[in-house]
Amino acid sequence: MKILHISASPKRDESNSWWLSQQIVGRLAQRAGHAAVTVRDLYADPIAHVDDAYAEALGSPTGRADEGVAGGALGISEQLIRELEAADSVVIGTPMHNYTVPSTLKAWIDHVVRVRRTFAITPDGKAGLLRDKPVYVGIASGGRFSGPTARQADFLTPYLKAVLATIGLHDLRFYSMEGLAQGPDIVAAERERMELVLGAAFSRA
């Protein structure tokens, strides 16, 4: 079992999204018996935004998917795509920033969602080129964005569903801790709840 663990919190290993995603990684590893985990910490090792050469190569209708991969943004893109291709499962730990994904996670997405490499343009629209695999998304939010007590919009989950489906990843499983800005008691209660939720989810898998 090869697991790609993507962490998108500026608080890194002190964050609730890191805690939640680590819980998922641990259960995946336990179920598999053995797992090799590649951690991509988007704050400890930030990814540069795509550059002009990347935009020029991919914006051309005749540009090749592998054009210029030796260096620059296309080289980074190729490295990130190969990490993604090598994984049997992907775990993303992310906070919700302004109703959606943090800019660091968006930068990763911009590198791995690449025309003629991870998706193709067809007469029927975009078609993913990657092998489907489970993607577990652990979300930490200061407010509540789901259920009857929701008080804020959620553009994170529908966006990830749409953009990852573009490259062929359809098996997304979301777990969220919400209302964490209310204080440590809520954080503790949400962690306890998530342990039960994950325990039940992985016992069925």
Side-chain angles (χ1 to χ4, degrees):
M1 162 78 74
K2 294 181 180 179
I3 302 171
L4 175 60
H5 181 189
I6 299 165
S7 177
S9 174
K11 296 174 68 177
R12 299 168 64 184
D13 60 0
E14 295 182 357
S15 70
N16 286 295
S17 61
W18 172 262
W19 177 87
L20 178 53
S21 56
Q22 278 287 79
Q23 294 296 310
I24 297 169
V25 169
R27 284 169 169 78
L28 282 171
Q30 183 178 35
R31 187 175 67 188
H34 172 74
V37 182
T38 297
V39 178
R40 171 64 66 174
D41 187 328
L42 300 179
Y43 273 88
D45 187 16
I47 297 170
H49 292 288
V50 298
D51 57 20
D52 58 343
Y54 181 106
E56 183 69 22
L58 274 66
S60 168
T62 59
R64 300 193 315 273
D66 61 348
E67 187 171 350
V69 296
L74 276 172
I76 296 169
S77 170
E78 188 64 22
Q79 178 185 357
L80 298 174
I81 290 169
R82 288 178 181 178
E83 283 182 353
L84 185 55
E85 288 177 322
D88 300 303
S89 295
V90 180
V91 179
I92 300 174
T94 181
M96 177 179 280
H97 282 179
N98 297 321
Y99 316 131
T100 188
V101 297
S103 62
T104 52
L105 183 52
K106 179 61 166 61
W108 180 83
I109 289 168
D110 287 343
H111 282 283
V112 301
V113 180
R114 191 169 118 207
V115 67
R116 297 182 294 274
R117 178 61 175 87
T118 56
F119 74 92
I121 304 295
T122 77
D124 297 321
K126 297 175 180 177
L129 300 176
L130 298 189
R131 170 179 61 90
D132 198 9
K133 63 195 70 182
V135 179
Y136 301 84
V137 184
I139 306 166
S141 174
R144 295 191 180 276
F145 62 86
S146 67
T149 61
R151 295 295 181 270
Q152 65 185 49
D154 172 21
F155 297 104
L156 188 157
T157 56
Y159 171 65
L160 285 183
K161 288 178 182 178
V163 76
L164 294 180
T166 299
I167 60 176
L169 303 180
H170 303 276
D171 185 5
L172 273 63
R173 310 172 192 196
F174 291 91
Y175 301 93
S176 63
M177 298 170 60
E178 304 178 32
L180 304 182
Q182 296 176 56
D185 289 345
I186 296 298
V187 172
E190 281 291 275
R191 289 193 176 194
E192 183 176 349
R193 182 181 68 83
M194 286 312 306
E195 287 180 343
L196 295 174
V197 168
L198 292 173
F202 280 87
S203 66
R204 293 193 301 269

